[in-house]
Amino acid sequence: MSDLDTRPPEYAVGSVDAQGPEELLITARKVWLGKTTEVARALPDREIRMIGAWCFLDHYGNEDIAHLPGMQVWAHPHTGLQTVSWLLAGEVEHRDGLGSQVLVRPGELNIMTAGHGIVHSEMSRPDKPPTLHGVQLWVALPGADRDIAPRFENYPDLPTLHRPGLSGIVLVGEFEGVRSPARSHTPLAGADLTLEPGASVGLALEPAFEYGVLMVSGEATVATTEVAVDQLLYLGLGRDSVQLTSSGGARMILVGGVPFEEEIVMWWNFIGRSHAELVGYRAAWERRDDRFAPVVSRDEKVMEAPPMPTVPLKPRPRRKLQA
Ligand code: MN
């Protein structure tokens, strides 16, 4: 996935964060990904920039692509983050500069750790299935790990949880006592939860985590708020449980983690800590520096970086501070 948003939200600088439970409903913005796929981007939001280390939440589909090209995201670089690719329907081919060539399929987690730098492409193949539905989530790496060697991991079998009226898959970190094998670098939770029609289920939360729930199908009441598709309910910190209720059934992606207190600079596909660092990443991509090993060859189709903003990018806190 690649960030082509030409009008990223602005963040004000001001006073203190809220630090307890809250219910803040965020409606995802529609953004074009390349020329072929429209995504609903729930994070970063104008107010909530991150939930734990989760810094980017895109939901795409459910789309009929039988007569469309599908996903056409050519080779592009990343730094300082992990991409978590999770399909609900369809198939996307991932290739990267480490030599990985993997079909991203429903039920299999693909997690790419960019660290120092990596290039990947995400393409629907000509013989693709007729539907495309999925999410791509980014996790910011903490200062100590953000320059590590890149790696790509595929987890075909993730742990599941079953409660009356609910089934779930733990993608990353730990949720309801179930731990994912995926390697993460800060305390996180990420889960795909399906509620049966008529279900009402209480789930345990970690009070030191902040959480959010992104609806990807159906509708549900999360805590006390009705949440529809492409809405993210931010739940804040300090809860030991959350109630999920749905009359018609629903599917949602829950994300959580310890608040990420480092201020980051996020621009295009890079995460760094200063404007100068991002200028350096962009220049390294422009000159096809060794930092960014090619996916196939230097002749492949690639995405060029947009111009740097004329106003210097400033490190931003995890949420917009009240003026
Ligand atoms: Mn990408």
Side-chain angles (χ1 to χ4, degrees), residues 79-82 113-117 140-151 184-186 260 262 273:
T79 60
L81 57 86
Q82 292 178 295
T113 303
H116 183 69
L141 292 171
D145 296 328
R146 68 192 184 93
D147 205 37
I148 58 176
R151 61 176 196 258
S184 49
H185 295 261
T186 52
F260 194 88
E262 287 178 58
R273 294 298 184 272

Side-chain angles (χ1 to χ4, degrees), residues 1-2 76 78 83 120 122 136:
M1 202 67 55
S2 170
H76 58 278
H78 286 289
T83 64
H120 74 148
E122 296 154 291
Q136 186 169 116

